[in-house]
Amino acid sequence: MKKTKTRNHVKRSLHSVSLGVHILILLLSVSFAQAAEITVQAALSSNQFTLDETVRMTLTVNGTKSAEPAMPTADGLHFSYQGQSSQMQWINGKASSLVVFTFMVQAEKEGSHIIAPIRVTVDGTIYSSEPITCTVQPATTAAPSTGQVGTPAARLRSGEADKIGLMRIELAAGQGKIYTGQLVPFTIKAWFRQGMRVTIKSNPRFIGDNFLVESIDEEPKQRGVQMNSEPYVVLTWQGSLSAIKEGTFPLEVEMDAELLVREKQQRNNRFNSPFTNDPFFSDFFGQYARRQVMVASPEKEVTVMGLPGEGQPENFHGAIGKFSLAVAASPLDGKAGDPMTLKMNITGQGNFDRVAVPELADTTGWKVYPPADSFAQQQGGSGTKTFEQAIVPTSSELTAIPPVRFSYFDPEAGEYVQLNSEPIALHLEKTAAQQAVVTLPDTVETLPDTSNLKNDTNLAPIRSAPGRFVPVILPLYRQTWFLVMTTAACCGLIVVLLLWLRRKKLLADPSITIHKQVNKQLVVQYRDMEQAVAAQDQDVFYTHCRLAIQLRLGEVWGVEAGAITLADLQQRQAPDDPLLAIFTRLEQSGYGGMVIEHERLQASLQEILETTRTELDRLP
C-alpha cells in the first residue's frame, strides 16, 4: 500500500513538473513572438494640404487583433477619431492579423507641423509609431477678376450669370439631416448653354472642412437638355461624402472654368463713315479673350447629428446604412474537431469600412478563428463585403451552427437594426464511446470448459477466466514513462536554449572568452611555479612567472602577451608597482646572472609567487 502511494505521489510530481515546464516554454515563446511581430505605422493621406482641407490619418498595428491607441498630438493640428477596422492576412502560408485606426486631421495654423509618436498599448506593452512631418499651406481663396487674360478667376455663383450656366449639388433623397460617419451619395450637375466656348479646368470641389469626400467620378457624364426653351449641355458627377463633426454647416461646391469671350474692337470713325459704324464690321474685326471664372453652387444647409446612445447593441461597430445578411457553411458533416468554413455576405449601401465581421450568437462548443474579408464595391457606396471564417466544433453533441448576428444603424428610420441568420443544421458523427451501449446481464452464464479441446486452427482459444485487472486506465499523458520522456525533452530543450544564449553572449563580447582562456593558462603557470619552488629550480620558476605576468597584462592592455617587455611595464605601470619590481628582477636574473643564495631560495621564490598572484588578481 505504501509503495502504491509513493508511486502515485511520484507520478503526480512528475506530471506537475512537466506541466510547469510546458507552460513556461509556451509563455516564453508567445512573449518572444509578440515582441518580434508587433509593429505600429502611422501615415497621412497627404503630407501637404491647405488650411481649409481635411486629410485622413491611419494608424496600423500589425501582429494583433486588438489594441488601445492614444489620441495623436501635434501643435497646430486638431484630430478627430473616426473608428477602427481589423483584418486577417495569409502571407506565404503564415497568418497575420492587423487593426487599423482612422483619424481626421484639420489644421489650425499654417507652417510645418510634427505629429508626435503615437503610443499604442497591446496586452499591457506600449509600442510607438514614428513621428510624421506635414506642411500646411495657406487656404485657397478666390479674388475678383476684371475678365482679362492672366487675372485671377471671378467667382460666379449659380444664377448670377445666365449667359454661362447653372450649378447645383443634390444629396440622396434630398437629405438635409445626416449622421456623423454616414456615407451619403450626392449628385453634382452643371448646366452650360450650348454654343458657349467653355473649358472645364477642374473637378468640382467642396468648400470648407466640414465634409469628407469619399469618392467622386473622375470624368462627368454629358448630355443635352432643354431648359426654358434653351438648349443646354449638362455635366453630371456622382460620388459619396460623410460628415466628421456634429452641427449645422453650409454645403457648397465650386469649379474652375475658362470662357472664350468675343471683345468688340473700338474703331476711330474719323470720317464718320457708315461702313466703320456697321455692327457687321465690328464683329468681323472683334477679338477673343480668355476669361477665368469659378462657378459655385448655392449654399445648402445640412444638419449633422450624432448617433443615439439609447438602444445601441453590444455588437455595433459603427456601420451606418442599409444592409442584408446571408450566411452559408461547408462542410456540414464530419466529426468533432474538423474545421468548417463559415461564409457571411453583407450586401447593401453604407460605410463598409465600419462593417465588422458578424458574431455567433453562442460560441459554446465552438472554437472561432479570425476571418479573412474582401469587398466588391459598386456605384454610390453600394457593394458586398464577404467574410470567410474558420470554425471548429469541439463536441459531437452539436446539432446546428448558432445564428449569426450583425447590427447597423438605419439613418432613414433613425434606429438600430439587428440582423440574425437562421441556425444551420449539422450532421456530426458520434464517437465510438457514444455509439457503443453496453448492457450487462442480470446473471452470469457458466462458459464450457475448452481447455481440453484440440486447437486445430490458428485462432486463440476462448479464455474461461479473465486476465489481470487494473484499478484505472491512465491516459497517455498521465503515464509515468510519458511524463519522464516529455520532462527530459523539455529539460534538454531548456539546456540547449541556455547554451545558445551563452554562445550568443560570448560571440557578442569576445573579452569574456579571452578572460576565461587566460585564467586557465594562469592556473597552469601557478602550478608549474609551485612545482619549481618545491624543486628550488630558479630558472624554471622565473620562466613561468614572466609568462604569467605577460598573459595577464596582455589581456588587460589588449596586446600580444609575448611582445610585452620591461620597457612596456616601465611606461604603463607606476614606479612603485610590485609587478614592475618583480619583472625587473626577472629580467636581471635572465640577462645579468643574478642568483639567490641557496639557503633562502625557496622562501624568496614563494614570496614572489604569492605577490605575483595577488597583484595579477587585482587587475580588472
Side-chain angles (χ1 to χ4, degrees):
M1 187 68 179
K2 292 183 178 179
K3 292 184 178 179
T4 304
K5 290 183 178 179
T6 304
R7 187 180 305 165
N8 293 335
H9 179 70
V10 172
K11 290 181 179 179
R12 287 195 297 269
S13 301
L14 289 173
H15 178 71
S16 301
V17 172
S18 176
L19 182 61
V21 172
H22 279 83
I23 293 175
L24 177 61
I25 294 177
L26 180 61
L27 292 176
L28 289 174
S29 302
V30 171
S31 62
F32 289 160
Q34 288 184 349
E37 295 178 1
I38 294 180
T39 58
V40 180
Q41 295 179 341
L44 291 172
S45 59
S46 176
N47 290 80
Q48 290 187 356
F49 53 97
T50 60
L51 193 61
D52 56 352
E53 288 181 332
T54 302
V55 296
R56 184 193 301 268
M57 187 181 75
T58 56
L59 180 67
T60 304
V61 185
N62 288 281
T64 182
K65 296 182 292 183
S66 61
E68 298 179 5
M71 183 62 68
T73 57
D75 184 25
L77 298 179
H78 175 72
F79 299 87
S80 59
Y81 177 68
Q82 295 297 299
Q84 72 179 69
S85 62
S86 59
Q87 56 182 294
M88 192 78 177
Q89 297 177 340
W90 277 267
I91 301 175
N92 297 329
K94 295 183 179 180
S96 63
S97 56
L98 60 87
V99 58
V100 180
F101 300 91
T102 304
F103 302 87
M104 300 310 300
V105 185
Q106 295 174 281
E108 298 175 350
K109 60 182 180 179
E110 305 171 10
S112 180
H113 303 276
I114 298 178
I115 302 176
I118 305 174
R119 296 161 60 91
V120 179
T121 304
V122 180
D123 296 333
T125 305
I126 298 178
Y127 302 87
S128 299
S129 66
E130 295 293 332
I132 303 176
T133 302
C134 61
T135 303
V136 178
Q137 300 174 347
T140 56
T141 56
S145 171
T146 60
Q148 301 299 323
V149 179
T151 58
R155 196 167 189 269
L156 303 179
R157 193 173 298 278
S158 179
E160 295 177 357
D162 293 338
K163 294 182 179 180
I164 300 175
L166 307 171
M167 190 173 183
R168 184 181 305 162
I169 178 172
E170 301 172 355
L171 298 181
Q175 293 173 336
K177 295 183 179 181
I178 62 177
Y179 293 89
T180 56
Q182 177 185 353
L183 194 67
V184 182
F186 65 79
T187 301
I188 299 175
K189 293 184 178 180
W191 292 266
F192 295 94
R193 290 180 180 272
Q194 282 191 359
M196 291 290 298
R197 301 185 180 183
V198 181
T199 302
I200 304 299
K201 305 294 288 186
S202 70
N203 274 343
R205 58 180 175 272
F206 286 79
I207 301 174
D209 55 0
N210 302 308
F211 301 94
L212 179 65
V213 179
E214 301 289 346
S215 63
I216 189 171
D217 294 337
E218 291 292 337
E219 297 291 337
K221 296 179 181 179
Q222 181 176 332
R223 63 187 180 92
V225 296
Q226 290 282 335
M227 292 181 59
N228 299 326
S229 302
E230 292 285 343
Y232 283 82
V233 175
V234 59
L235 305 179
T236 304
W237 291 265
Q238 291 184 335
S240 57
L241 59 82
S242 62
I244 61 177
K245 54 186 177 182
E246 301 177 22
T248 300
F249 309 103
L251 182 63
E252 185 181 8
V253 293
E254 61 185 11
M255 180 178 61
D256 296 329
E258 183 181 79
L259 302 180
L260 196 62
V261 181
R262 183 189 298 274
E263 294 183 346
K264 294 184 178 181
Q265 184 177 8
Q266 299 294 331
R267 301 179 61 86
N268 185 13
N269 189 5
R270 183 178 303 176
F271 303 101
N272 196 21
S273 172
F275 298 102
T276 56
N277 289 329
D278 195 330
F280 172 79
F281 290 98
S282 297
D283 290 342
F284 181 79
F285 291 103
Q287 297 180 350
Y288 285 93
R290 299 182 183 275
R291 183 183 179 190
Q292 307 295 329
V293 297
M294 185 182 296
V295 183
S297 68
E299 290 185 359
K300 178 183 181 66
E301 279 198 352
V302 177
T303 300
V304 182
M305 303 174 293
L307 295 179
E310 182 180 358
Q312 186 177 105
E314 294 182 358
N315 62 331
F316 176 73
H317 296 285
I320 305 175
K322 282 195 173 183
F323 304 95
S324 62
L325 175 65
V327 182
S330 64
L332 299 178
D333 52 2
K335 58 181 181 297
D338 291 345
M340 301 178 181
T341 300
L342 188 63
K343 186 175 182 179
M344 298 161 283
N345 289 336
I346 297 179
T347 304
Q349 184 180 54
N351 55 346
F352 276 94
D353 59 331
R354 302 297 298 276
V355 173
V357 58
E359 303 173 357
L360 291 176
D362 184 10
T363 58
T364 304
W366 293 91
K367 184 178 292 186
V368 181
Y369 292 90
D373 61 84
S374 60
F375 179 55
Q377 187 174 8
Q378 299 175 3
Q379 189 98 16
S382 301
T384 299
K385 195 168 187 177
T386 301
F387 298 92
E388 291 190 0
Q389 188 172 33
I391 57 175
V392 178
T394 59
S395 172
S396 58
E397 298 293 335
L398 297 173
T399 59
I401 298 177
V404 173
R405 302 181 304 178
F406 173 72
S407 63
Y408 66 93
F409 182 77
D410 187 347
E412 295 185 5
E415 60 183 10
Y416 294 94
V417 179
Q418 179 85 24
L419 300 179
N420 296 280
S421 67
E422 295 294 331
I424 301 177
L426 295 177
H427 306 284
L428 299 180
E429 299 178 5
K430 302 294 183 180
T431 60
Q434 293 172 329
Q435 292 178 347
V437 179
V438 180
T439 303
L440 298 177
D442 296 335
T443 60
V444 179
E445 299 181 0
T446 303
L447 297 176
D449 186 8
T450 59
S451 58
N452 297 327
L453 295 178
K454 185 178 180 180
N455 186 15
D456 295 331
T457 66
N458 293 326
L459 298 177
I462 299 176
R463 293 173 179 257
S464 58
R468 183 175 63 89
F469 288 96
V470 294
V472 64
I473 298 178
L474 292 176
L476 178 64
Y477 69 90
R478 295 188 59 186
Q479 296 185 20
T480 304
W481 67 270
F482 180 78
L483 294 176
V484 172
M485 290 186 63
T486 53
T487 303
C490 292
C491 292
L493 180 60
I494 293 176
V495 171
V496 171
L497 178 61
L498 294 177
L499 291 176
W500 178 78
L501 292 175
R502 178 177 176 273
R503 181 174 178 272
K504 186 177 180 181
K505 181 179 180 181
L506 294 177
L507 292 176
D509 189 1
S511 62
I512 299 177
T513 305
I514 296 175
H515 183 71
K516 291 184 176 182
Q517 292 175 353
V518 170
N519 286 340
K520 289 181 180 179
Q521 295 179 8
L522 287 177
V523 171
V524 176
Q525 302 305 321
Y526 292 152
R527 183 193 62 198
D528 293 340
M529 291 167 66
E530 290 173 353
Q531 293 176 357
V533 170
Q536 297 186 4
D537 191 339
Q538 177 180 345
D539 295 335
V540 174
F541 178 86
Y542 284 172
T543 300
H544 292 290
C545 184
R546 180 187 295 106
L547 184 56
I549 296 175
Q550 290 176 328
L551 286 172
R552 177 62 76 189
L553 293 180
E555 176 198 355
V556 175
W557 296 347
V559 298
E560 183 69 26
I564 296 177
T565 62
L566 178 60
D568 296 326
L569 271 74
Q570 292 174 345
Q571 182 180 1
R572 293 174 179 259
Q573 302 296 111
D576 58 345
D577 185 40
L579 288 178
L580 177 59
I582 293 173
F583 205 85
T584 302
R585 184 173 181 177
L586 297 177
E587 290 293 316
Q588 292 175 354
S589 175
Y591 300 103
M594 179 180 178
V595 179
I596 305 174
E597 295 179 0
H598 183 74
E599 291 76 8
R600 56 188 186 88
L601 176 61
Q602 187 172 5
S604 178
L605 295 180
Q606 184 66 35
E607 180 183 357
I608 295 175
L609 172 59
E610 293 176 357
T611 304
T612 302
R613 180 178 295 174
T614 302
E615 295 299 327
L616 292 182
D617 291 342
R618 288 181 181 176
L619 294 177

